[in-house]
Amino acid sequence: MAISDSPETIGITGTSTSSLTDSDLTHTLRRRPAAATTVPRDVADSGSKTEEDDSTLNDLVRDSGSDDSVTAKICEPGDNGRIGGSEASMDSVNAVQDNKGLGENDRGVDPSAAKFAYRPSVPAHRRVKESPLSSDAIFRQSHAGLFNLCIVVLVAVNSRLIIENLMKYGWLIKTGFWFSSRSLRDWPLLMCCLTLPIFPLAAFVVEKLALQKSISEPAVVSLHIIITTTSILYPVLVILRCDSAVLSGVTLMLFACIVWLKLVSYVHTNYDMRALGKSTEKGDAVPSSSNTDIPHNISLNSLAYFMVAPTLCYQTSYPRTVCVRKGWVFRQLVKLIIFTGLMGFIVEQYINPIVKNSQHPLKGNLLYAIERVLKLSVPNLYVWLCMFYCFFHLWLNILAELLCFGDREFYKDWWNAKTVEEYWRMWNMPVHKWMVRHIYFPCLRHGVPKGVAIVIAFLVSAVFHELCIAVPCHMFKLWAFIGIMLQVPLVLITNYLQDKFRNSMVGNMIFWFIFCILGQPMCLLLYYHDLMNRKGKAE
């Protein structure tokens, strides 16, 4: 071996010598040669090598394309066109070994490549580079490790808080607020829930008569208005007449609202299909490509499937999957049970004690109210995220899997929302699609301005939020209604800030603060104290 005057030139001597020029050392060597992939010693030292063998050996010690280390990388899958990354080059090495009569077990380590990989004369610094966390390079790196660290720290910190809470206060879980002795006697609510399918059947009969042209179109519209209105008023009256548990009332109201939304979609879709059919017969309109392959037929099976499917938008057929994955469904059910239990633990162990030790946020000390809201925000955020995961991801996917329902876009990446408007478009996709299909675009087609159409959509949402909370609590303070309607100015504010700063982080931080730090804890405190005051007066 001899080291030339140039620090970047390495000479290799032996029975047959091949020199590495400056061009051969443009990139340094990355890994030491693996035992199973390098050229054997007798091939490297053989004096009877052909010119092709010399070229192959030079390629073996040539760098793999990375110039930030001085170790050899030989015969590994990677970049095309080089040893250390090319299957073609690997084949040429194998051809050399096969010509020498060497099998797989005879291929050993090339000592020359390993011996000269760490020469002191080989440059360690070859070009300008940025640190991984510098502003120019930070988003080019993978931060999966830091994300894992955040998860580990989050689990560790919350585990400590749980242990500390249990040691200080003991086991606080009681079911009196959610379930009471009268919860088992809430049979009127159960019977009301079991009788809700009467309304879809009534709508089916009306649509069948309309298809047969047995009744006029105004009569069809009037009957559907009566059916849909009764479907929402009937559960409200049952809950108000019965002193039921809060959770039982909320469950019934959610079912009633879902039935109402599905009925409206069913009626509106069939009405539109009849209108398109009449326009086509008269030659006033040409059916679009999306409607030409959908026959207007009224089927009880399609209605029954729609009423249990995880969607609020009716159509005669849906994208379907091939089979049901039973093992997958079982795993999701286990997750659903675990996260539901976690929600109950957080509510009873953390949220209930905080709200019980609080004052009415609008009637007490301002600083004390702010402290309570901030203290309540973290457990409330955990419950909200668990609720989202349990319902929108686990439960709706389980239902879709059992029904072979194909379209499972129940939510989008709402956590990246830059404005409040984006959040409402991505948070609850079944409701969003219903709003767009049956409220927003019909308003636009009837000449309603876009801004007014958005306000109408939020108004409908606010009414149903208030119904689902106020009716089970037997009080109408309109906090949920006001909270939803305040989203309209927030949409304008966040859109303005997003256009002004051109930074997604500003709108996203405002969204998280308004929903998780301020809005939800404040509404929870307001409804809790109003409910406790009502119960106190009743007693």
Side-chain angles (χ1 to χ4, degrees):
M1 181 200 72
I3 301 178
S4 65
D5 295 335
S6 174
E8 298 189 8
T9 304
I10 299 177
I12 303 177
T13 60
T15 56
S16 177
T17 304
S18 52
S19 299
L20 298 180
T21 64
D22 290 342
S23 61
D24 295 325
L25 287 172
T26 301
H27 300 294
T28 50
L29 307 173
R30 166 158 276 189
R31 273 185 209 163
R32 293 189 178 183
T37 57
T38 54
V39 178
R41 181 185 185 92
D42 56 349
V43 175
D45 296 338
S46 173
S48 60
K49 289 189 307 214
T50 64
E51 184 177 350
E52 180 183 355
D53 297 342
D54 290 337
S55 175
T56 304
L57 184 59
N58 286 338
D59 288 340
L60 287 175
V61 255
R62 188 170 299 168
D63 122 69
S64 63
S66 175
D67 53 358
D68 57 352
S69 63
V70 291
T71 54
K73 177 183 180 183
I74 299 177
C75 298
E76 290 188 358
D79 299 330
N80 293 333
R82 293 191 298 265
I83 285 292
S86 167
E87 294 182 0
S89 301
M90 190 65 189
D91 293 339
S92 65
V93 175
N94 293 337
V96 173
Q97 294 173 334
D98 293 339
N99 290 336
K100 292 296 181 180
L102 300 176
E104 290 289 338
N105 297 329
D106 297 326
R107 297 173 185 174
V109 179
D110 179 8
S112 60
K115 184 175 181 180
F116 303 116
Y118 292 96
R119 294 303 306 172
S121 58
V122 176
H125 307 282
R126 293 184 174 274
R127 61 187 177 91
V128 177
K129 293 183 180 180
E130 294 287 344
S131 297
L133 295 181
S134 63
S135 58
D136 293 335
I138 187 171
F139 293 111
R140 304 174 191 169
Q141 312 296 324
S142 172
H143 301 293
L146 292 177
F147 178 77
N148 292 335
L149 174 63
C150 293
I151 296 297
V152 170
V153 171
L154 188 66
V155 171
V157 170
N158 285 277
S159 299
R160 182 193 67 81
L161 292 176
I162 291 174
I163 295 173
E164 180 181 350
N165 181 275
L166 292 174
M167 293 175 61
K168 187 175 181 179
Y169 301 106
W171 189 261
L172 301 177
I173 296 180
K174 298 178 182 178
T175 58
F177 184 78
W178 303 101
F179 297 98
S180 62
S181 58
R182 67 176 184 270
S183 298
L184 299 177
R185 301 195 300 267
D186 285 343
W187 60 268
L189 275 66
L190 177 62
M191 295 303 298
C192 177
C193 186
L194 294 178
T195 55
L196 287 178
I198 294 176
F199 300 102
L201 288 176
F204 169 76
V205 172
V206 173
E207 284 298 322
K208 202 72 173 177
L209 294 175
L211 185 64
Q212 297 173 356
K213 298 182 179 180
S214 301
I215 53 178
S216 63
E217 196 65 36
V220 172
V221 174
S222 301
L223 289 174
H224 279 312
I225 291 176
I226 296 173
I227 292 171
T228 53
T229 304
T230 308
S231 68
I232 198 68
L233 291 181
Y234 168 52
V236 170
L237 294 176
V238 171
I239 294 174
L240 293 179
R241 290 181 61 89
C242 301
D243 190 14
S244 60
V246 174
L247 187 60
S248 300
V250 170
T251 303
L252 177 58
M253 282 308 305
L254 287 175
F255 276 113
C257 292
I258 291 173
V259 170
W260 188 88
L261 294 172
K262 285 176 176 280
L263 283 177
V264 170
S265 180
Y266 178 73
V267 171
H268 197 182
T269 301
N270 283 307
Y271 174 83
D272 188 58
M273 294 179 74
R274 287 197 303 272
L276 285 175
K278 293 178 181 177
S279 299
T280 304
E281 290 176 359
K282 295 179 180 179
D284 296 336
V286 179
S288 63
S289 59
S290 59
N291 293 323
T292 53
D293 57 345
I294 303 178
H296 182 207
N297 55 359
I298 304 299
S299 170
L300 186 59
N301 291 334
S302 63
L303 175 60
Y305 182 86
F306 167 63
M307 294 306 297
V308 295
T311 180
L312 299 176
C313 295
Y314 172 75
Q315 56 193 62
T316 54
S317 62
Y318 295 93
R320 304 290 291 271
T321 56
V322 178
C323 61
V324 177
R325 298 168 293 177
K326 298 179 181 178
W328 183 89
V329 171
F330 176 77
R331 291 192 298 272
Q332 305 310 307
L333 284 173
V334 172
K335 293 179 184 178
L336 183 62
I337 295 172
I338 293 174
F339 279 92
T340 303
L342 179 61
M343 278 195 298
F345 174 80
I346 296 174
V347 169
E348 295 293 338
Q349 194 72 23
Y350 289 93
I351 293 181
N352 277 352
I354 293 174
V355 295
K356 287 179 180 179
N357 295 327
S358 64
Q359 300 176 357
H360 198 288
L362 300 182
K363 299 178 181 179
N365 183 276
L366 178 60
L367 291 178
Y368 181 81
I370 294 175
E371 187 270 339
R372 289 288 96 180
V373 168
L374 294 177
K375 188 173 183 178
L376 188 61
S377 61
V378 175
N380 179 81
L381 173 61
Y382 290 162
V383 171
W384 184 51
L385 293 177
C386 288
M387 182 276 298
F388 158 76
Y389 184 71
C390 286
F391 183 76
F392 287 98
H393 183 73
L394 294 177
W395 172 245
L396 292 183
N397 272 288
I398 290 172
L399 191 59
E401 185 71 21
L402 294 176
L403 297 173
C404 296
F405 189 83
D407 185 3
R408 303 183 184 183
E409 190 186 44
F410 305 121
Y411 57 91
K412 293 183 179 179
D413 56 333
W414 56 265
W415 46 86
N416 294 325
K418 298 182 286 293
T419 63
V420 174
E421 182 182 5
E422 282 191 11
Y423 165 75
W424 287 110
R425 287 205 309 262
M426 299 187 294
W427 151 255
N428 187 342
M429 292 306 296
V431 171
H432 171 71
K433 292 177 181 178
W434 187 93
M435 288 285 184
V436 169
R437 192 181 192 216
H438 300 292
I439 292 183
Y440 181 73
F441 280 113
C443 287
L444 295 184
R445 284 194 293 269
H446 286 80
V448 178
K450 179 179 177 181
V452 177
I454 293 176
V455 172
I456 293 175
F458 274 106
L459 180 63
V460 174
S461 177
V463 169
F464 280 96
H465 276 80
E466 183 66 26
L467 285 175
C468 290
I469 299 177
V471 173
C473 294
H474 295 260
M475 60 182 184
F476 293 89
K477 295 292 184 177
L478 300 180
W479 299 124
F481 180 87
I482 295 172
I484 297 299
M485 292 308 297
L486 285 177
Q487 305 303 307
V488 177
L490 287 177
V491 167
L492 301 177
I493 293 172
T494 52
N495 286 342
Y496 169 77
L497 293 176
Q498 176 65 21
D499 294 337
K500 181 177 179 61
F501 293 101
R502 297 292 179 179
N503 188 347
S504 61
M505 298 300 295
V506 174
N508 188 255
M509 292 172 65
I510 293 175
F511 150 71
W512 281 113
F513 176 79
I514 290 174
F515 274 84
C516 301
I517 306 301
L518 179 61
Q520 294 179 13
M522 179 66 73
C523 283
L524 179 59
L525 289 175
L526 289 171
Y527 271 107
Y528 176 82
H529 285 286
D530 290 336
L531 179 62
M532 292 298 103
N533 291 337
R534 186 190 69 84
K535 287 186 175 181
K537 292 178 180 179
E539 293 175 357

